[in-house]
Amino acid sequence: NRGGGGGTIGSALVARAKPDGYTLMVGSTATNATAPALVRTANYDPVKSFTILGGISSTPSVVVVAPKISAATYRQLVEQSQTQPSGFSMGSPGTGSLNHLTTELLKQRTGLRATHIPYKGAGPALSDLLGSQLDAMVDQLSSSAPFLKDGRLRAVAQTGARRSPLLPDVPTLREQGVEGVDVAVYTGLFAAAGLPADVEAKLVAALRAAVKDPDVQKRLALQGSERLDMEQAQFARYVAEEAGRWTAVVRSAGITQE
């Protein structure tokens, strides 16, 4: 494990590795979309520096509100936020996190009025949300699920293209008339660019078999995720689209690395 730099240190190591198939990376929306858009020292291209082998999982986010907020739908949340001079306070695990960028995207697309409050991780932000020291938050379903299940937090929208089985009664943003804000965290398998074709084919086949394993799918479902069912070429296009999408959000919102 090579931590640091929002995942850019480990990603750069893989990008520079010998393309023999023995150095692999479980990349994500963070390592191959948001972090390269923010971290000036990320000396790799999120698409061209890698052989993109395929997707593993997709985890939607949810818009969750503090107990003190009465909004039951996303539209009500937007309307209530517009009555506050500085909008609602909305936490995130940190500046440039997907949670933060999704908040900025919602502000741009839906008129949500919000002040971003960055934390050092999702845990402290959720703790303040539970105590109504924050008004709302965009969070990954996997970390909010326990609090939604016991009723300590309430979700007004899911950001996935369809409802998660963990939250069958909470409509998506798309269902509530909000287009262009389908957001999910992906994970996928990456190797250095220039992998020999036979090695690439072997790894792609092994990955496809692994993610189809019922036990793997069960584990993903328990954490609010699902198998990312895309062919290799489709997933590669998706990675490129996500990189472009979040780079545009970073630039339009004027977000800079702290």
Side-chain angles (χ1 to χ4, degrees):
N1 183 41
R2 299 294 181 94
T8 60
I9 293 175
S11 301
L13 183 146
V14 175
R16 296 193 304 267
K18 183 179 179 180
D20 56 10
Y22 287 101
T23 302
L24 303 175
M25 174 179 80
V26 176
S28 67
T29 311
T31 60
N32 291 73
T34 59
L38 273 166
V39 181
R40 292 186 294 272
T41 56
N43 55 350
Y44 63 91
D45 185 283
V47 178
K48 296 178 182 178
S49 295
F50 301 98
T51 299
I52 302 174
L53 298 167
I56 299 173
S57 69
S58 178
T59 307
S61 295
V62 285
V63 182
V64 289
V65 298
K68 67 178 180 180
I69 301 300
S70 63
T73 67
Y74 180 73
R75 287 297 182 190
Q76 289 177 3
L77 183 73
V78 172
E79 291 168 1
Q80 291 180 16
S81 76
Q82 292 173 344
T83 67
Q84 306 298 315
S86 299
F88 281 153
S89 60
M90 294 189 66
S92 84
T95 298
S97 63
L98 187 65
N99 313 56
H100 173 207
L101 298 187
T102 303
T103 300
E104 295 298 331
L105 186 59
L106 288 169
K107 289 166 64 176
Q108 294 172 13
R109 296 288 181 87
T110 68
L112 175 69
R113 184 176 294 172
T115 298
H116 173 235
I117 311 295
Y119 286 76
K120 293 184 177 179
L126 283 169
S127 178
D128 276 3
L129 187 65
L130 287 162
S132 287
Q133 295 174 57
L134 288 173
D135 295 315
M137 179 177 173
V138 175
D139 189 37
Q140 273 69 61
L141 175 56
S142 52
S143 57
S144 282
F147 307 112
L148 297 171
K149 186 176 181 180
D150 66 17
R152 285 190 285 170
L153 291 178
R154 189 172 69 261
V156 297
Q158 302 187 53
T159 67
R162 56 184 178 274
R163 299 188 190 191
S164 167
L166 292 183
L167 286 178
D169 298 326
V170 177
T172 65
L173 286 168
R174 185 185 293 185
E175 288 178 292
Q176 297 183 63
V178 179
E179 298 291 338
V181 195
D182 293 344
V183 176
V185 175
Y186 73 75
T187 63
L189 195 63
F190 297 75
L195 211 61
D198 60 330
V199 175
E200 179 179 350
K202 186 172 184 178
L203 288 168
V204 169
L207 175 63
R208 293 284 294 175
V211 296
K212 288 180 179 179
D213 185 290
D215 288 339
V216 172
Q217 293 184 39
K218 183 178 179 181
R219 286 288 297 274
L220 291 174
L222 287 173
Q223 61 187 30
S225 304
E226 60 183 36
R227 173 170 63 99
L228 195 52
D229 192 16
M230 294 182 183
E231 295 295 333
Q232 182 188 14
Q234 183 184 6
F235 179 66
R237 289 193 297 271
Y238 177 63
V239 169
E241 289 167 359
E242 287 290 278
R245 174 193 200 186
W246 295 113
T247 296
V249 172
V250 167
R251 290 175 178 171
S252 61
I255 302 169
T256 58
Q257 183 185 17
E258 292 185 336

